[in-house]
Amino acid sequence: MPYDRTVKPTGTFEETVEAVRRALADQGFGILTEIDVQATLKAKLGHDMEPYLILGACNPPLARQALDTDRSVGLLLPCNVVIRADGDQVIVQAIDPATMVTLTGVDAMAPVADEAARRLEAALVAVAEGGT
């Protein structure tokens, strides 16, 4: 089962990061966490790698609904969005919120996951179609 939604927009890594931030905000998501994997691995291990950023996106009303349904679902929050370089291309991937239903086995989570998926998909489409 695929657990991600992926787009390959045009534009530089930096332009794509800004486009993703805007598109997520337009869909009601704030960024709770930001992990610069490239910088972290360089600082901690001296390891060089391509640009790789993980954004922890949260839509507060949806997060509340999910937590009201199953307090343990916090293990799967926030919705991670990865922006990474792959050669000359930039890839944007978002977790498929349906994994919340699959992993928890809580069918009541489906409406929340569906709405989160709809919003994340709209953000990814905006990034892909808008380029930057």
Side-chain angles (χ1 to χ4, degrees):
M1 174 185 111
Y3 58 91
D4 68 304
R5 294 165 184 257
T6 301
V7 295
K8 297 176 181 178
T10 59
T12 67
F13 181 82
E14 293 78 14
E15 291 167 338
T16 301
V17 168
E18 290 310 310
V20 168
R21 289 180 190 278
R22 281 191 307 273
L24 288 170
D26 289 347
Q27 292 300 318
F29 289 92
I31 304 302
L32 297 181
T33 60
E34 182 172 325
I35 303 167
D36 183 337
V37 176
Q38 180 188 42
T40 300
L41 292 184
K42 181 66 174 176
K44 301 290 184 184
L45 302 175
H47 177 72
D48 289 315
M49 68 176 288
E50 71 280 359
Y52 195 113
L53 183 67
I54 303 171
L55 300 177
C58 178
N59 180 295
L62 294 178
R64 179 178 176 209
Q65 289 176 28
L67 289 164
D68 285 350
T69 302
D70 178 6
R71 287 288 199 235
S72 295
V73 80
L75 293 165
L76 303 174
L77 298 177
C79 294
N80 283 329
V81 178
V82 170
I83 306 152
R84 61 186 177 92
D86 185 17
D88 291 338
Q89 192 167 38
V90 179
I91 297 173
V92 180
Q93 296 174 291
I95 186 73
D96 183 343
T99 58
M100 288 191 303
V101 180
T102 302
L103 292 175
T104 64
V106 177
D107 292 337
M109 193 73 65
V112 180
D114 290 347
E115 180 62 17
R118 185 189 68 74
R119 290 172 180 261
L120 284 172
E121 185 67 22
L124 290 175
V125 167
V127 169
E129 290 179 353
T132 53

